[in-house]
Amino acid sequence: RVALILVDGTEGFTEQDSKVAGYAHEQGKGCIIVVNKWDAVEGKDTYTMDTQRKGYETAFSFMSYAPVIFISAKTGYNVNKLMQLIKDVDAQNGARVPTGVLNEMLARATARMQPPSDKGKRLKIFYLTQATTRPPTFVAFVNQKSLFHFSYQRYLINQIRERFGLEHTPIRIVVRERGTGAEHAIQFAEQAYALGMSNGYLWDSPWLRFEYSSPSTPAQVFDYNMRTRERVLRKTQVVPSGHAPSDYIVERIDAPAS
């Protein structure tokens, strides 16, 4: 499940290496750049490895998440370290992030760097949820897709890497626009659920809890089963006059409260 991009250390980076790495990257595989025959590289000094590492990182810049390791299959140099690195990369590629902590991270990230705006309209990211693994794929529900610039997506991906220790796996974000109302919230949650199921993602639970309010309807808290479409109303209360709409908050739960 982890692709090893094997490079001949005596020859260095080749165009074929780039093509193989590009294919693995497109497939969302966890990847490791393995520079073999390190024992046969001539003229090594204290700085050779660091210098070459920087060169390989530049050559494979399109997959900056992939670690670079120097080994010798002949002498066994760093082979044990490579085995452990494979386990670490595989674990990250198959990692799952709970919706609650994911959206706590989102709140901090958007407070630290405000989402972009265009012609007076600012991007709103209502919530994130993980749809699948291998690679970790997150669905972002936003007010307008065109406002979600690549640079801000990259910023959020870096925040996810840093917060959840996912430095060595590709990460994807799927952007979905949402309308207004609880039914739209359910619709997009079901899309995320279906996306995950189609990619073999085994959800711990199909239940989500929605907290929804708007200026025209009472606030509601209800649990929803994305598999059976069962809805369990938890509570309803009148939103005080002048209260700003909170749209909806979504979190994954094991089962509805009794």
Side-chain angles (χ1 to χ4, degrees):
R1 296 184 292 191
V2 175
L4 303 183
I5 314 302
L6 194 62
V7 178
D8 188 328
T10 62
E11 295 182 6
F13 174 79
T14 67
E15 188 64 27
Q16 183 63 23
D17 296 330
S18 180
K19 290 179 179 178
V20 172
Y23 179 77
H25 172 71
E26 290 174 1
Q27 296 299 309
K29 301 294 185 181
C31 298
I32 302 173
I33 311 300
V34 182
V35 184
N36 191 24
K37 299 185 180 179
W38 187 243
D39 61 295
V41 175
E42 298 178 351
K44 295 191 294 290
D45 60 28
T46 307
Y47 307 102
T48 302
M49 185 176 290
D50 286 341
T51 300
Q52 289 202 14
R53 186 187 306 278
K54 291 177 182 178
Y56 286 119
E57 288 173 350
T58 299
F60 293 100
S61 59
F62 60 90
M63 51 192 309
S64 58
Y65 54 84
V68 179
I69 184 171
F70 297 84
I71 73 164
S72 170
K74 181 178 180 179
T75 67
Y77 173 71
N78 264 354
V79 171
N80 288 338
K81 186 176 180 181
L82 173 61
M83 294 300 105
Q84 183 58 52
L85 188 57
I86 291 172
K87 293 178 182 179
D88 294 343
V89 170
D90 182 60
Q92 291 186 27
N93 196 239
R96 302 179 183 180
V97 181
T99 302
V101 294
L102 183 62
N103 283 280
E104 289 175 4
M105 180 282 304
L106 175 64
R108 288 193 295 270
T110 53
R112 186 178 299 118
M113 180 181 291
Q114 196 172 41
S117 63
D118 183 45
K119 298 178 181 178
K121 188 166 187 177
R122 186 169 298 282
L123 170 70
K124 291 183 180 180
I125 307 172
F126 298 107
Y127 70 99
L128 285 173
T129 189
Q130 186 171 1
T132 186
T133 61
R134 304 196 183 282
T137 301
F138 302 91
V139 182
F141 298 95
V142 305
N143 60 331
Q144 187 172 320
K145 290 175 65 173
S146 61
L147 295 174
F148 204 168
H149 301 155
F150 171 77
S151 59
Y152 203 77
Q153 290 187 39
R154 183 172 55 191
Y155 164 70
L156 285 184
I157 286 174
N158 288 336
Q159 293 298 303
I160 292 172
R161 291 190 189 283
E162 180 181 335
R163 172 63 178 82
F164 304 110
L166 302 179
E167 295 89 353
H168 296 319
T169 178
I171 293 175
R172 294 174 179 169
I173 291 183
V174 178
V175 184
R176 294 281 187 267
E177 285 187 8
R178 52 139 271 204
T180 59
E183 299 308 316
H184 283 278
I186 291 173
Q187 174 188 346
F188 287 113
E190 287 181 338
Q191 288 181 5
Y193 181 75
L195 176 63
M197 293 295 289
S198 67
N199 284 278
Y201 182 86
L202 300 178
W203 295 76
D204 295 328
S205 167
W207 285 96
L208 290 179
R209 175 158 296 165
F210 291 83
E211 298 182 21
Y212 173 77
S213 67
S214 76
S216 58
T217 61
Q220 293 184 350
V221 178
F222 62 89
D223 299 335
Y224 185 80
N225 187 312
M226 294 182 289
R227 184 181 300 141
T228 65
R229 297 187 175 180
E230 176 186 0
R231 187 185 306 200
V232 180
L233 183 65
R234 300 262 62 89
K235 66 180 180 179
T236 300
Q237 64 187 43
V238 177
V239 179
S241 177
H243 184 272
S246 62
D247 292 300
Y248 51 76
I249 302 171
V250 184
E251 61 177 328
R252 191 174 301 163
I253 58 173
D254 293 330
S258 57

